[in-house]
């Protein structure tokens, strides 16, 4: 696909699947680069979130890597190695592992999750620059409709 400026008529004939794929890759690359600058990875943050009773976990109970992979199946990327990422968090003291190989969030891990979550608004601000809220909402509604039209499930 070309990066030249297209007319509205030309844009209307462009394949949405192509552009959503390009957008996805660009957004993920940007987010992950900003996270790496701060010393953590997106999968590490997801591990912390999925183990926190103050975030995704309903009860804060420990989980095995298999359970965590299942919980994150819809957003893990093929290159994401949860076992390696968990080892980093274990060494940092943000997670512990029990005899049943369940991972548990530590107090330090919960504080790290809160600190990392605090970085998200600055990333969102850059990504939303020049896009007003109404246009953003319209875009998401259009994407949801495309998903439904393709017999997918739009949350």
């Amino acid at each position: 696909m070309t990066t030249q400026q297209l007319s509205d008529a030309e844009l209307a004939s462009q394949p949405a699947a192509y552009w959503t794929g390009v957008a996805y890759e660009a957004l993920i690359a940007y987010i992950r680069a900003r996270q790496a600058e701060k010393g953590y990875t997106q999968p590490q943050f997801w591990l912390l979130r999925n183990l926190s009773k103050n975030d995704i976990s309903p009860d804060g109970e420990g989980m095995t890597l298999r359970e965590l992979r299942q919980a994150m199946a819809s957003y893990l990327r093929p290159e994401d190695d949860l076992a390696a990422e968990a080892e980093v968090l274990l060494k940092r003291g943000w997670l512990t592992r029990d005899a049943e190989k369940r991972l548990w969030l530590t107090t330090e891990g919960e504080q790290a999750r809160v600190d990392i979550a605090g970085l998200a608004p600055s990333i969102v601000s850059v990504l939303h620059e020049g896009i007003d809220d109404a246009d953003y909402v319209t875009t998401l509604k259009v994407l949801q409709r495309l998903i439904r039209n393709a017999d997918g499930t739009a949350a």
Side-chain angles (χ1 to χ4, degrees), residues 39-144:
Y40 68 96
T41 67
Q42 193 170 46
Q44 289 169 359
F45 184 46
W46 291 337
L47 284 165
L48 298 175
R49 294 191 67 204
N50 275 273
L51 292 168
S52 174
K53 67 181 177 188
N54 299 311
D55 201 331
I56 295 174
S57 175
D59 55 16
E61 292 295 311
M63 297 172 74
T64 64
L65 280 173
R66 185 172 189 264
E67 291 168 330
L68 286 159
R69 276 189 204 95
Q70 286 178 308
M72 298 183 222
S74 66
Y75 48 91
L76 277 177
R77 292 174 55 95
E79 68 269 20
D80 293 340
D81 182 347
L82 284 188
E85 301 290 1
E87 287 302 319
V88 171
L89 299 180
L90 286 161
K91 288 179 183 161
R92 288 183 181 168
W94 294 358
L95 299 179
T96 60
R97 182 182 288 132
D98 66 21
E100 288 81 38
K101 300 194 184 241
R102 296 176 77 76
L103 295 167
W104 295 82
L105 187 63
T106 65
T107 302
E108 295 81 7
E110 176 61 15
Q111 185 58 56
R113 184 197 63 80
V114 169
D115 293 346
I116 291 169
L119 300 171
S122 65
I123 293 172
V124 170
S125 176
V126 170
L127 293 176
H128 286 222
E129 187 176 328
I131 303 168
D132 68 42
D133 287 348
D135 286 343
Y136 185 78
V137 169
T138 298
T139 300
L140 294 184
K141 287 180 178 181
V142 168
L143 290 172
Q144 290 173 338

Side-chain angles (χ1 to χ4, degrees), residues 19-34:
W19 289 107
T20 57
V22 171
Y24 173 78
E25 292 300 330
L27 294 169
I28 291 298
Y30 180 84
I31 291 165
R32 288 185 174 210
R34 299 301 73 77

